[in-house]
Amino acid sequence: MTPSARLQAAIEMLDWIIAAARDNGASADNIAKKFFKERRYAGSGDRRAIRELVYSAIRRWGDRPESGRQAMLGLMAEQPELRELFTGTAYGPAAIEADEAIASGAQIPDWLADRFASLIDETERKALFDRAPLHVRVNGQRSTDLEVKSAWPDAVALALPHSYELPTGTQLEDKTLFREGAIEIQDLGSQAIAMAGAAAKPKLALDLCAGAGGKTLALAAMLPSDTRIIAADTDRGRLSRIDPRKRRASARNIETILLAPGKEIEALDHLKVSCDLVLIDAPCSGTGTWRRNPELRWRMSPKRLDHTTELQQRLMDLGSEMVKPGGRLVYAVCSLLDAEGGDQTDKFLANHPQWREIAIDLPLGRSYRKGTLFSPYHDGTDGFYFTCLEKL
């Protein structure tokens, strides 16, 4: 493909991504897979160049552009070499017209700019758009750190036990250790939150928003094999991914419960006041994962954020009903917004005087508003806020 044709392909892919962000459709990564599947003529170099153009535009614009063309036209101010590719020939984009609309604005939408935790200054915000590292967790029930270091000599030990960073671009899927459940891909921040939950050695743990089970599996690896761990979620597709993952990891003490949205209490009634630990990795804006999913900025709005924080409050109330006296609730969000982090902790404690904050000693993170904050710049992790609360 010519450079002009690659640019036109990037514009077309951006149009798909913009529409999906507007209509709550597929993620940018899934769209890219479908896009290239339909264009098998694009070689590996073409795909790499097109993705680079697409993600340069996504990272640059905080507000959702009207079109892929506007996004790329706006990008010319920082990449002037793009201008000569708007030729209208050789499958390239049409020539630029006078006074044509272009994308503009900052990397962070104006309505979000003043909602970040106070620790997230300008330097911290810039790091939200860096490339995300590849972190893995060693499953001690299936392998040893020595085997992992032998398989990947360039692996760098991280702050938590059995945690490593592998070189960017490392392919794991075809490696025996990965296929046999010896390692799991998991951000260091997620591992730390699971460790906070495992600290009190619960006998019965409920992962209330388990998704595909990343933190569930981490709990299973950190706790004795006779611990009963229940993974619950309303998303059937994501929850179904836990079974093959737990078999691969030899985690035989994990159960799953599919919840009906709005009727979660009916499926969880038998767990009321019986759990030693309830972990709530709540749905959120995802501001802490912009390095991996920068198009999330295009999906969020003030109205949607309000709806999300209401859901978070409801989940905290629901989860607290499952905890027995002396048990713990760990609330976490992959967000760096006060509305989803410290504000939620304050509201919960104000409405539930029988609860108190518990300090968790971890080798990373910063204390912040009755909880802990992880950030890409300070900790090398995704951005997270979490709090550990104990029922009196």
Side-chain angles (χ1 to χ4, degrees), residues 164 170 174 202 226 346:
Y164 293 90
T170 300
D174 61 343
D226 61 349
D346 287 346

Side-chain angles (χ1 to χ4, degrees), residues 192-213:
I193 291 167
M195 181 174 287
K201 298 291 190 291
K203 292 296 184 182
L204 174 58
L206 169 64
D207 188 352
L208 186 55
C209 304

Side-chain angles (χ1 to χ4, degrees), residues 298-315:
W298 297 357
R299 295 172 180 262
M300 189 53 61
S301 66
K303 182 178 180 180
R304 186 166 182 179
L305 179 60
D306 288 343
H307 174 76
T308 301
T309 55
E310 290 172 4
L311 174 60
Q312 291 163 354
Q313 291 170 33
R314 189 169 69 80
L315 288 169

Side-chain angles (χ1 to χ4, degrees), residues 223-272:
L223 294 170
S225 59
D226 61 349
T227 305
R228 185 184 176 197
I229 303 174
I230 301 172
D233 204 280
T234 58
D235 189 322
R236 182 186 298 272
R238 297 186 70 197
L239 196 66
S240 68
R241 291 163 56 189
I242 293 180
D243 279 345
R245 294 182 72 187
K246 74 179 186 181
R247 286 194 297 270
R248 194 176 77 235
S250 294
R252 298 180 177 86
N253 55 339
I254 296 175
E255 309 166 32
T256 59
I257 298 178
L258 179 64
L259 306 177
K263 299 180 180 179
E264 296 92 344
I265 192 65
E266 298 175 9
L268 298 172
D269 189 65
H270 65 292
L271 295 175
K272 274 189 174 181

Side-chain angles (χ1 to χ4, degrees), residues 118-283:
S118 60
L119 295 178
I120 308 303
D121 59 17
E122 188 61 32
T123 301
E124 292 267 0
R125 295 183 190 205
K126 289 179 180 178
L128 297 178
F129 301 97
D130 291 343
R131 302 287 182 176
L134 175 59
H135 292 169
V136 297
R137 173 179 56 79
V138 180
N139 178 3
Q141 299 176 11
R142 302 288 287 170
S143 185
T144 66
D145 289 35
L146 184 61
E147 287 180 288
V148 171
K149 286 290 290 182
S150 176
W152 292 282
D154 293 333
V156 177
L158 298 175
L160 298 180
H162 315 306
S163 302
Y164 293 90
E165 180 175 329
L166 300 184
T168 301
T170 300
Q171 298 299 313
L172 297 178
E173 288 76 4
D174 61 343
K175 299 295 185 182
T176 301
L177 287 177
F178 180 80
R179 293 198 307 269
E180 294 181 351
I183 61 171
E184 292 283 346
I185 299 172
Q186 188 172 38
D187 181 77
L188 184 66
S190 290
Q191 296 180 46
I193 291 167
M195 181 174 287
K201 298 291 190 291
K203 292 296 184 182
L204 174 58
L206 169 64
D207 188 352
L208 186 55
C209 304
K215 293 183 179 66
T216 308
L217 289 167
L219 284 172
M222 296 172 186
L223 294 170
S225 59
D226 61 349
T227 305
R228 185 184 176 197
I229 303 174
I230 301 172
D233 204 280
T234 58
D235 189 322
R236 182 186 298 272
R238 297 186 70 197
L239 196 66
S240 68
R241 291 163 56 189
I242 293 180
D243 279 345
R245 294 182 72 187
K246 74 179 186 181
R247 286 194 297 270
R248 194 176 77 235
S250 294
R252 298 180 177 86
N253 55 339
I254 296 175
E255 309 166 32
T256 59
I257 298 178
L258 179 64
L259 306 177
K263 299 180 180 179
E264 296 92 344
I265 192 65
E266 298 175 9
L268 298 172
D269 189 65
H270 65 292
L271 295 175
K272 274 189 174 181
V273 200
S274 62
C275 295
D276 302 293
L277 168 69
V278 172
L279 171 62
I280 303 175
D281 184 8

Side-chain angles (χ1 to χ4, degrees), residues 86-124:
F86 286 85
T87 61
T89 60
Y91 301 101
I96 302 171
E97 298 181 4
D99 300 323
E100 191 169 350
I102 66 173
S104 61
Q107 280 188 296
I108 297 177
D110 289 342
W111 70 272
L112 270 180
D114 62 352
R115 302 194 183 205
F116 282 84
S118 60
L119 295 178
I120 308 303
D121 59 17
E122 188 61 32
T123 301
E124 292 267 0

